[in-house]
Amino acid sequence: MNSLCKLSAQEMRQGLLDTEFSAVELASAHLDSIKESNETLNSFITITEDKALAAAKAADTRLSSEKENSPLLCGLPLALKDMLVTKDVETTCGSKILKGFVPPYTGTAVARAEKQGMVVVGKTNMDEFGMGSSSENSAFGPVRNPWDTERIPGGSSGGSAAAVASGQAPLALGTDTGGSIRQPAAMTGIVGLKPTYGRVSRYGAVAYASSCDQVGPFARNIPDLAMLFAAIAGKDPQDATSVAEDVPDYLAEVAEKATSGLAGLKVGVPQEYLVDGLQPDVKSAFESSLGVFEKLGAEIVDVSLPHTEHALATYYIIVPAEASSNLARYDGVRYGHRTAKADTLQELYAKTRGEAFGKEVKRRIMMGSYVLSAGYYDAYYLKAQQVRTLVANDFLAAFTNHCDVIATPVSPCTAFKLGEKTSSPLEMYLADALTVPVSLAGLPALSIPCGLDTQNLPIGLQLIAPAFEESKLLSTGNAFLTEQPFELKPLTSGGQ
Amino acid sequence: MIQYEAVIGLEVHAQLSTGSKIFANSGTEAGREPNTLCDPVTLGLPGALPVLNKRVVDFAIKLGLATNCSITRENEFARKHYFYPDLPKGYQISQYDKPICQHGHLLVRVGGEERRVGITRIHLEEDAGKNVHGEHETTSFIDLNRAGVPLVEIVSEPEIRSPEEAGAYMRQMRQIVRYLDICDGNMEEGSLRCDANISLRKVGTEKLGTKVEIKNLNSFRFVERAIRYEITRQTTVLEQGDEIVQETRLWDEQKASTRSMRSKEYAEDYRYFPDPDLLPIVVDNDWIERIRATLPELPEQVYLRFKKGHQLDDYYCELLTEEKHTARYYDKALEVHHNQTALANWITTELFGRLNKENLGMEECPVSPENLGTLVKLIDEDVISGKIAKTVFDEMFSTGASPNSIVEATGLQQISNRDEIGGIIDEVLTQHPEQIAEFRDGKTKMLGFFVGQIMKRTAGKANPKVVNELLMAKLKGD
């Protein structure tokens, strides 16, 4: 692997400014890296080589004229989850139903990254429409974990996570509905942020469950993550649910607090999250992480989030309901897959959707249609929305009365083997148990690596903050990783 | 024999005349090339999101206030799911249990009587596109220009009792939306259309019978004819001892009958739920008052003003208030010359006649209201005769010129000078001694002969009053 691919985004920035290398060289190095390992990892569905080289060339021009005044991300490679709509570049959502679909527009988050001069190297593989926790539910085959290619990289943004962890891209965007950024970040030993609901525009992020979906960044360290996050955050008039809250200079805030420790910070630990199903080494890594916080001067406090036990069930009512609605548009009429032969309109719909949706997607469409049907709506969807409010209130009470951030494990387990959980959807759903409550509450949460399990697989730590306090998460996470650095082995031990 | 009473409710759909769609930036003009008023949102592309056009809410509040509704403070959009090729998202964004307006009413006049028809609700929704069949042997096409055009659906209480009442309700609704400038009311293009729900029950009973829905009635005539047909059909079914099938029917104008479209035995499940892409719209007092301040004088108010204040009969009141432009025209003409009956008459006969002939709308009228007022003033001040006025009016309509300038340029002023007219009468009488003798023998209709002769000599310009007066005096006096 080209050593350029091992640099942090900040180092790449410096290298570009110092003309040690060009954006075209940087892009080429990453494109080579993708070509080298994609066969193994299957992390990319589409590689946008020509466009990337053209964008890199434009970035070089900009860098040479604007120099230090060019945007921080100018010329830096970026991988995009294939859930993000890109003009003139096939966007599949990991589904056969969108195979060959080339959108006529680019979504807001991607457009903002491109405006900075970022170089999109390709579209990453994922669980179909974001539905899954292992990136195995893809029409384009499963993604493999660069730590151990017999294992899954987490999901649904597994391709983006694997790309960043393996040096295919320094930065990537994913989407998180119930943990789809946090969990793969944890399972691949990188950092990932699910922003506050409304912080990043959803325009051009294909809808899975609209009330939970958020676009967010992946990186290998916190300052890199802060740079990318700052570029995509902020109100968008094309997304009514995006919020007009000021976007702070995340990188500056992280830098400012990098050396000051965490004195005075109250880190809440919800006992409800230390569930029975927690893998023992996940539990011990989490407990030793609390020691790191204490060492940094933070205070650990017990908090209670009493409705946590209902969160997973609530999530699996609300999310499929919205999904069943959002996926109604894939009918074979206007774009994407259409069945070869249908004699009636009804048959066109049934065969198109029957042929092109994967098993998990069908399962969730059926569950969602059921809970929204007349006579069941009140008992399921309406009730779930009420429980959702209780779950959100738990967090609110904890932050108001007890703590500044909440720390939990990201996932009850580390990366499991391909096929290990595919036969049991319920077991797969349990992998989301620690990430979905945050999604229901719409809060920001950061996933950072906090150790390895007995099989040398990364373990993730989740930090949760009140709405729009991503800065607090980033600086806390940065302090932690400065105190207890994490070695990203697929990158450091990868051949030079 | 059992007497049945019709129970009718109407669902009127009105396209709101906003420049852009309800949730997207594309335009809304009718008659454009298929699929040219499209964008990612209208096409239902993956990742596209709706953003509410607030003007649509303004329009709905306006309509709610004009139809005596209460305005819902916390509004919500809901998704209504069904699969159809003209529905790009697989759901229509509509309102479900929190419609923008509720509990209103209209006063409907039929045959000189006024009846109150309740309005259950008015809700906002997006229109669907259009499937195009028959252009190709084996292929149908879809035009999504209309998809996302804002609609209000106005649902009446089942309080309409006759086809005539239904027609009157529909006419009045059209009149209101046009007065409010929120819908062009063009029924042929489908900007205003309605579905009718009809059931029968025995007179004197409360329980509603099984209802039948007739879809997409896009003219007043169709509304009345379809309902009349349906009442007859249902009466026959009941009289034969059969039961009414709950179903949706279509009006077939060619066959002058309704036919079954689909049975409603298995009610469709639309799986409504609040649209998570759109925030609830909170309508506060300020918003309502801001809209209230923009309300024009409503047709009912104008009607009453004309009827009570101007002592016009119902016929004129109805014609003059049917269109806002006509009422305004009449008001403006009155400012120039305050003769209500004469102006009402001129507008509803001469002016309407010519506009109809030229296929022009009131807003395109070449005769300004000021000029029409002046014309009637010239008649009333004896400057021109009523007959000459018609010639002047024709000229005004063709050229847009003022009546004064036409009268001056063509010398059409009336001759009222008694000496001048007296001289002409003398001439006529001198030339017709025999006719004078006949008149004096009691043939009074010879009077008309003399008037005719005098008018002929003055090219119709002699003031008829003066002619009559002097002629009688001379015939009797001699």
Side-chain angles (χ1 to χ4, degrees), chain B residues 196-208:
Chain B
N197 286 294
I198 304 146
S199 64
L200 296 187
R201 69 179 169 199
K202 287 175 197 164
V203 170
T205 59
E206 283 295 309
K207 195 170 167 286
L208 295 172

Side-chain angles (χ1 to χ4, degrees), chain B residues 434-454:
Chain B
E434 288 160 36
Q435 282 81 357
I436 295 175
E438 283 179 44
F439 177 80
R440 288 186 177 148
D441 285 349
K443 263 183 121 177
T444 49
K445 70 175 179 185
M446 289 314 292
L447 195 61
F449 168 79
F450 292 119
V451 171
Q453 288 298 315
I454 295 158

Side-chain angles (χ1 to χ4, degrees), chain B residues 150-168:
Chain B
L151 293 179
V152 279
E153 180 175 326
I154 309 151
V155 183
S156 86
E157 291 288 320
E159 292 175 348
I160 297 169
R161 291 288 171 267
S162 70
E164 294 75 22
E165 249 174 60

